[in-house]
Amino acid sequence: MEGANRACSQEGCENVGEFRAPPEQRRGAPDGPPQWRWFCLDHIRAFNQQYNYFKDMSAEEIDAAQRPYGGWDRETRAFSANAAGGTMPPRWADFGDPLDAIGARFKARMAEAAERHDGKPLSGEDRSALRTLGLALDADRKALRTRYTELVRRFHPDHNGGDRAHEKALQDVLAAYAHLRKAPAFV
């Protein structure tokens, strides 16, 4: 917890101050972060009951703060007409995707949307089972049977001297094969 080692800011309270509250007045360096007050559960509840966000605001300021579009009445600096001294807002090309997050998701969706060469549809479960078996989307029934046999031999304890370390992988292979052999794409 953030304030686990602090004492409650309420005078005379011996409890641990776990909950942060704004300072009464600005303390510390003028350009530095505020020095928060920390309260125990009982005193933060009392603070929250008496706290008034709109204190010292005029009726017009309160109305402006409560409007549903409050804060949307002005453009952000980056999108204003005179951003960076220019007269045009930034272009989409100006914004980079350093992790290629948007493009990577799009490519993954397109790869999943690719259909089989024979035109038979695949469900999401079919695709997941094919991934479990390590097969391509356009695998045929013969490739399915060959890969299943190979994986069962690799993971079955009878072929590994009784070693049951790969039991979970074997169960996944059995479930994937049981699903795919009845799937419309492999019938």
Side-chain angles (χ1 to χ4, degrees):
M1 271 190 265
E2 208 173 339
N5 297 329
R6 294 179 175 88
C8 181
S9 296
Q10 185 67 32
E11 210 171 297
C13 182
E14 300 291 324
N15 294 329
V16 174
E18 300 177 70
F19 304 96
R20 183 173 70 177
E24 288 182 56
Q25 68 263 353
R26 185 118 176 125
R27 296 181 295 205
D31 60 343
Q35 300 296 315
W36 301 103
R37 293 183 288 171
W38 294 89
F39 290 114
C40 64
L41 181 62
D42 292 334
H43 290 115
I44 196 67
R45 284 179 176 158
F47 173 83
N48 286 340
Q49 286 178 347
Q50 60 88 27
Y51 184 77
N52 183 1
Y53 175 79
F54 300 108
K55 186 174 107 183
D56 300 327
M57 283 186 165
S58 68
E60 292 82 23
E61 292 171 325
I62 293 172
D63 183 50
Q66 289 180 332
R67 276 184 284 164
Y69 55 90
W72 291 95
D73 53 341
R74 62 186 181 280
E75 290 181 326
T76 60
R77 183 175 170 178
F79 291 98
S80 66
N82 60 359
T87 58
M88 298 294 292
R91 300 169 300 152
W92 280 107
D94 295 339
F95 295 95
D97 185 8
L99 300 176
D100 195 29
I102 297 168
R105 275 187 266 143
F106 176 76
K107 289 174 194 168
R109 262 191 256 130
M110 289 292 93
E112 281 191 11
E115 289 299 321
R116 296 168 49 90
H117 294 2
D118 57 9
K120 294 181 180 178
L122 290 172
S123 69
E125 293 175 14
D126 295 343
R127 293 172 194 278
S128 177
L130 285 169
R131 277 193 298 271
T132 300
L133 295 175
L135 290 172
L137 293 177
D138 60 346
D140 61 357
R141 192 163 180 81
K142 182 178 180 190
L144 174 65
R145 179 67 187 169
T146 304
R147 183 66 176 161
Y148 166 73
T149 304
E150 175 188 328
L151 292 175
V152 166
R153 284 191 180 133
R154 182 186 307 169
F155 296 136
H156 200 281
D158 291 347
H159 293 279
N160 292 314
D163 183 16
R164 299 179 73 104
H166 303 290
E167 193 167 350
K168 172 73 171 107
L170 178 63
Q171 290 173 355
D172 293 343
V173 167
L174 293 173
Y177 179 73
H179 172 78
L180 287 175
R181 71 186 180 115
K182 297 176 185 171
F186 294 96
V187 176

